[in-house]
Amino acid sequence: MSATMDVSQRIGEVMALDHAAPALCYQSRWWDWGACDRLGTELDAALAGRVGTRPGTPVAVVMRNRPGHVATILHLLRRRYCLVPISSIQAPGRIADDVRAQRPPVVVADAEDWSDELTKAARDCGALGLRFTESAVEVVVAGDGDPDGYPLREGTAVWMPTSGTTGPPKRIPITYADLDIGFDRVRRYAGANERAASAARLSSGVVISCTPLVHIAGLWQVFQSAVEGRRLV
């Protein structure tokens, strides 16, 4: 029987296989694995000078189904940071309120989500605020967020919000151990053989992302496509 899959390690292995291979398609334009890797390098460079890059560092991402967000999520996982999803499907004031409630040391968002309200909320929290561009990460709020001031269970991969259907959304920790075990169960259920389970590879398959990334189903699609080396559209 094979060992349980290490999801962080597998994502890193897949991303390193072929930087020229297509990884993500958005509005008929392909991003290759190299572009995803470069954005991750930019993110680390921005964090290194202020917050640090040690595993477990919480990074809030205002989620949209776009390449920069997917590349960021994959990088956070392969480096074993903690992803704190913030829904973009709400008014700017509510996004700002969510950031104030969570008080993350880092906030990453698309240019259109950096409203005056979000900028002020990030400053009020002392967070480092980062904005996506086509090929880089830019500092919007030059805070020095404190990762140690954000208590979470050790090994938390995602500080996941619930749907909020029956009341205010709560947060549930999904650990890296949870992801490892979950993908191991998927692999066994699908009957993957030992060779396929042990070797990272790129696939000709395509996954269509049709669920918001702030939802667990949308996140799982991203995780699974990367683990299996499939292209995401």
Side-chain angles (χ1 to χ4, degrees):
M1 182 177 293
S2 63
T4 301
M5 178 184 293
D6 183 322
V7 171
S8 295
Q9 179 179 329
R10 175 55 57 88
I11 290 175
E13 291 169 349
V14 168
M15 293 182 72
L17 285 173
D18 183 356
H19 277 190
L24 312 168
C25 184
Y26 178 69
Q27 294 184 340
S28 300
R29 176 186 171 189
W30 281 97
W31 280 43
D32 57 32
W33 287 108
C36 296
D37 185 66
R38 287 190 295 274
L39 191 141
T41 300
E42 291 271 349
L43 179 61
D44 273 350
L47 294 178
R50 294 184 176 274
V51 178
T53 59
R54 70 178 184 270
T57 298
V59 178
V61 181
V62 181
M63 307 285 270
R64 289 186 180 274
N65 288 41
R66 294 177 181 173
H69 298 73
V70 173
T72 295
I73 290 166
L74 295 180
H75 183 71
L76 296 181
L77 285 184
R78 72 171 174 172
R79 291 296 303 270
R80 300 186 75 87
Y81 294 123
C82 172
L83 169 64
V84 183
I86 303 289
S87 176
S88 63
I89 313 173
Q90 53 186 339
R94 293 290 298 275
I95 294 175
D97 289 344
D98 203 354
V99 167
R100 284 194 179 91
Q102 298 306 315
R103 301 192 67 82
V106 184
V107 179
V108 184
D110 201 79
E112 73 177 270
D113 290 315
W114 275 109
S115 62
D116 292 341
E117 294 97 328
L118 179 56
T119 302
K120 186 176 187 304
R123 286 183 178 139
D124 291 346
C125 295
L128 172 63
L130 303 175
R131 174 177 60 205
F132 298 119
T133 66
E134 277 292 304
S135 58
V137 175
E138 298 177 345
V139 175
V140 177
V141 179
D144 295 301
D146 178 16
D148 294 328
Y150 198 89
L152 276 175
R153 183 190 304 175
E154 185 177 355
T156 297
V158 186
W159 188 223
M160 191 72 205
T162 60
S163 66
T165 304
T166 59
K170 304 173 183 65
R171 294 272 172 172
I172 297 173
I174 300 174
T175 67
Y176 281 98
D178 293 333
L179 293 180
D180 293 345
I181 292 170
F183 275 101
D184 187 63
R185 296 296 183 267
V186 169
R187 185 182 74 191
R188 294 175 190 226
Y189 179 79
N193 59 38
E194 294 293 323
R195 180 176 178 277
S198 61
R201 61 192 178 93
L202 297 179
S203 168
S204 60
V206 174
V207 174
I208 298 176
S209 178
C210 55
T211 308
L213 295 186
V214 75
H215 190 280
I216 186 60
L219 269 184
W220 188 266
Q221 284 182 321
V222 171
F223 299 162
Q224 188 166 11
S225 65
V227 165
E228 297 178 352
R230 298 178 186 273
R231 293 167 288 177
L232 189 67
V233 176

